[in-house]
Amino acid sequence: MIHPIIAQVTARIRERSQERRAAYLARVEQMAATGKTRAALACGNLAHAVAACGNDEKGRILDMTRANVGIVTAYNDMLSAHQPYQGYPDIIKAALAELGHSAQVAGGVPAMCDGVTQGQPGMDMSLFSRDLIAQATALSLSHNTFDATLLLGVCDKIAPGQLMGALSHGHLPTAFVPAGPMASGISNDEKVKVRQQYAAGEVGRDALLQMECGAYHAPGTCTFYGTANTNQLVFEAMGLMLPGSAFVHPHSELRHALTREAAQRISAMVGGSSQFRPLAEVLDERSLVNGLVALLASGGSTNHSIHMVAIARQAGLIMTWDDLSDLSDVVPLLVRMYPNGPADVNAFEEAGSVPGLLRRLAEQKLLHMDATPVFGTMADYLKRPHLENGKLVWETVGESSNPDVLALSGAQFQVSGGTKVLEGNLGRAVIKVSAVAPEYRLVEAPARVFSSQHAVEAAYKAGELNQDAIIVVRHNGPAANGMPELHKLMPVLGNLQKAGHKVALVTDGRLSGASGKIPAAIHVTPEALHGGAIGLLRDGDLLRLDADQGSLMCLSDLTGREPAAIDLRAEQEGWGRELFGVMRRAVSSAECGATIFE
């Protein structure tokens, strides 16, 4: 049995996707029908594939009875979340060699960090990078020398892009191998406090830098519940990694054991095996809905209102914001991690982690327990791993050990999910309502209209925003400038709210998963460049954002107005302009997933 709304949403995704899904599965079946692709390669092809290998490894790869696993890695040593991946290929190869199998790094993908590029020109390339990563993953696997795939990627656009690319080789068993979060640094409250003080000119750059280095200080993902950690939670809920593996600390013995286990188990699932389980079989409408339910129940990143649409399409599935909205109405908020609460992801791991959340969702009939995960059954995903005499064992998760972070059975933090869809005469948008206090969820105020977050910051510093206002930042959609995150706005708007002003944000751009207490209608579609009503707004127009009722309205008369002119070329001078030309010609809107990779 499953909740009727969960069943209805799943059924309509299945029904509307029939033609597209059938075409995708037909392509996958055609690829699988060739059998072990390595065996079909010419001798010259094989020689190239093993030329750099030692004799033992070369022998295993050329032995068609053995498995050869392709590794697609996002390793670099500049970014904390991906630095731990440096040694993973050697760990994986050693674990497979014990069983007579092999692995090769099929390729690497770019891994840019939104934390580094926030407010910089590189941020304009962030969303575009997801599709580049998808293409790089697909190209890495195109040598057709692999029997399975392991994806090493965690953050922001990287993990969604890898999954999208791997789906083009959906005949291969595929799993993510996570790296885990860094240890907790300074508190999130202290981080927000210093950022707002800096925005107000109360502290200098040295104090800000010292605080930031105290927050981001070691290998692993950032500890707040942003896009990176949302990737890990959602993908574990979808059955795309080992149960309970998302948030185990980097470099721990348990993490090392989980990496070895993932490698050895995927090698037993290749074509021709009784355990064969290709990615196309794992990622279906049930898995997709499980991921959406976990996203909503955890108050995850709004970026996934884009990423999940794009991932679904790569699997031949058509998911819409209506699906997300209907699920949000019946899925309660069961997790409080910053920005939805003061605790971080390490506290969530201690409280029960993803298996603990999935247990509570299963109790309420909100999960497809008949979905097919990469490893085992969905019942296995209600278990947590630990080491017993040096060996991995899984035990069924118990009650939450911290009910302030992970709700107890029968309890909830909010009756509806963390993300809500807004609609009205300004179009459609999403809002991370779980992070907004109830008293701030309704804002009716005059518009202040800008075309960049930098212009907002300048107006604030000039003292022009000391009023109730709904800040409108337009021409920041995917077709306009790549849809950068506008996170520089948060300290500014936070200070205005702290000063007692009613304030909100309306934009066709994005905010990161770390966006917090400011009501923010983001991903507005249609975007301004595509004729959206947001492009008609002027300073002083009366706007109304009602997160509880799900509405986004302009109360002023827009009849007969022409959109404001903007020189996009002037806005985009710099090294990314040529790539934006490609993206603008290909992308339609945020609601369609903002993807050019299909």
Side-chain angles (χ1 to χ4, degrees):
M1 294 180 62
I2 194 166
H3 191 288
I5 297 299
I6 307 297
Q8 288 174 22
V9 170
T10 308
R12 74 187 186 209
I13 291 174
R14 183 187 307 115
E15 290 165 7
R16 77 165 74 98
S17 306
Q18 284 183 1
E19 183 177 349
R20 188 182 185 98
R21 179 69 173 174
Y24 170 71
L25 292 177
R27 292 197 302 271
V28 170
E29 289 170 7
Q30 184 177 17
M31 297 175 79
T34 62
K36 188 177 284 290
T37 54
R38 205 160 67 256
L41 296 180
C43 294
N45 301 141
L46 286 169
H48 278 289
V50 300
C53 301
N55 288 335
D56 289 344
E57 186 179 23
K58 185 178 296 185
R60 290 193 296 272
I61 296 173
L62 295 177
D63 183 346
M64 301 305 160
T65 68
R66 306 293 183 175
N68 188 36
V69 177
I71 301 169
V72 179
T73 179
Y75 163 73
N76 64 50
D77 64 5
M78 187 191 79
L79 303 181
S80 63
H82 294 99
Q83 185 271 348
Y85 282 132
Q86 181 177 21
Y88 273 42
D90 290 339
I91 295 171
I92 291 166
K93 289 180 181 183
L96 290 172
E98 293 175 8
L99 303 179
H101 302 306
S102 59
Q104 293 174 290
V105 175
V109 301
M112 67 177 291
C113 176
D114 290 358
V116 176
T117 60
Q118 288 288 358
Q120 306 300 318
M123 171 51 71
D124 294 349
M125 301 302 299
S126 177
L127 184 57
F128 186 86
S129 77
R130 187 198 64 196
D131 298 323
L132 180 64
I133 290 161
Q135 293 167 339
T137 300
L139 288 169
S140 296
L141 296 173
S142 67
H143 292 99
N144 289 333
T145 58
F146 308 113
D147 304 299
T149 307
L150 291 177
L151 301 173
L152 312 185
V154 178
C155 281
D156 294 335
K157 320 306 168 293
I158 296 102
Q162 286 181 315
L163 180 55
M164 290 166 64
L167 281 163
S168 68
H169 291 73
H171 63 298
L172 299 178
T174 301
F176 277 92
V177 185
M182 68 178 70
S184 300
I186 66 169
S187 72
N188 291 303
D189 287 343
E190 178 66 15
K191 182 167 60 176
V192 172
K193 176 184 175 182
V194 176
R195 284 176 176 172
Q196 290 183 344
Q197 288 175 330
Y198 179 76
E202 297 171 2
V203 301
R205 179 179 170 85
D206 288 347
L208 180 66
L209 182 59
Q210 182 179 1
M211 178 280 294
E212 297 286 6
C213 288
Y216 310 113
H217 60 92
T221 61
C222 308
T223 59
F224 61 83
Y225 192 43
T227 307
N229 288 323
T230 301
N231 284 337
Q232 304 310 295
L233 187 149
V234 168
F235 288 176
E236 184 174 324
M238 294 173 70
L240 295 172
M241 62 179 70
L242 282 171
S245 64
F247 300 125
V248 175
H249 195 274
H251 307 305
S252 65
E253 290 185 25
L254 180 57
R255 171 60 69 201
H256 182 86
L258 288 166
T259 301
R260 286 176 47 85
E261 181 78 3
Q264 292 186 338
R265 289 178 66 170
I266 204 82
S267 70
M269 299 166 56
V270 300
S273 163
S274 61
Q275 301 179 56
F276 179 53
R277 194 171 292 183
L279 178 59
E281 180 182 320
V282 170
L283 210 167
D284 63 7
E285 65 277 2
R286 297 168 300 172
S287 169
L288 176 67
V289 169
N290 282 351
L292 295 173
V293 167
L295 169 69
L296 293 166
S298 61
S301 170
T302 50
N303 277 324
H304 287 75
S305 64
I306 295 176
H307 296 328
M308 296 298 280
V309 175
I311 289 167
R313 292 207 171 199
Q314 290 306 119
L317 301 169
I318 302 173
M319 171 221 150
T320 71
W321 281 1
D322 292 321
D323 301 323
L324 190 68
S325 181
D326 289 351
L327 291 172
S328 184
D329 287 341
V330 299
V331 175
L333 184 68
L334 300 177
V335 175
R336 293 187 74 230
M337 283 187 281
Y338 182 82
N340 304 321
D344 67 10
V345 71
N346 291 311
F348 175 65
E349 168 68 14
E350 293 173 3
S353 201
V354 184
L357 171 61
L358 297 185
R359 172 191 161 179
R360 281 143 193 78
L361 291 171
E363 289 170 350
Q364 299 183 48
K365 311 299 183 186
L366 296 172
L367 281 184
H368 288 286
M369 293 303 292
D370 62 341
T372 304
V374 174
F375 303 111
T377 69
M378 283 304 298
D380 295 313
Y381 284 74
L382 310 186
K383 299 177 181 180
R384 297 187 71 185
H386 67 276
L387 291 174
E388 195 171 283
N389 297 322
K391 293 186 178 181
L392 263 177
V393 295
W394 274 264
E395 292 184 353
T396 300
V397 69
E399 187 58 274
S400 169
S401 64
N402 188 343
D404 293 329
V405 177
L406 175 60
L408 298 171
S409 296
Q412 58 196 21
F413 299 118
Q414 183 177 295
V415 295
S416 59
T419 301
K420 195 173 184 70
V421 176
L422 306 178
E423 295 187 75
N425 61 1
L426 289 179
R428 307 185 87 199
V430 294
I431 184 171
K432 189 170 183 175
V433 70
S434 58
V436 181
E439 62 268 26
Y440 296 135
R441 293 180 183 177
L442 171 61
V443 179
E444 186 174 305
R448 287 298 312 272
V449 183
F450 302 88
S451 293
S452 75
Q453 60 182 332
H454 312 294
V456 177
E457 186 179 38
Y460 170 75
K461 290 181 177 179
E464 299 173 4
L465 299 181
N466 295 319
Q467 63 183 85
D468 292 351
I470 293 183
I471 305 300
V472 177
V473 182
R474 62 191 178 195
H475 292 289
N476 280 254
N481 66 345
M483 208 180 194
E485 290 183 350
L486 307 176
H487 198 59
K488 285 186 71 175
L489 296 173
M490 290 301 98
V492 169
L493 299 184
N495 280 342
L496 293 175
Q497 187 184 76
K498 185 178 178 181
H501 299 301
K502 293 182 179 179
V503 63
L505 173 67
V506 174
T507 180
D508 49 12
R510 290 186 299 128
L511 285 174
S512 76
S515 57
K517 58 188 178 182
I518 305 301
I522 61 177
H523 306 175
V524 171
T525 181
E527 64 178 285
L529 190 66
H530 284 167
I534 189 175
L536 303 177
L537 296 177
R538 303 288 185 270
D539 282 347
D541 286 339
L542 188 61
L543 305 184
R544 181 183 177 91
L545 187 161
D546 189 337
D548 289 326
Q549 297 301 315
S551 67
L552 178 63
M553 300 291 295
C554 177
L555 304 182
S556 300
D557 186 7
L558 300 178
T559 304
R561 287 195 188 176
E562 294 293 329
I566 184 170
D567 184 354
L568 285 175
R569 184 180 178 87
E571 292 284 330
Q572 296 160 12
E573 288 294 339
W575 50 268
R577 190 180 63 226
E578 292 78 12
L579 283 176
F580 287 134
V582 176
M583 190 172 189
R584 281 198 299 271
R585 288 192 294 272
V587 72
S588 55
S589 73
E591 191 174 359
C592 291
T595 180
I596 63 171
F597 182 76
E598 293 198 0

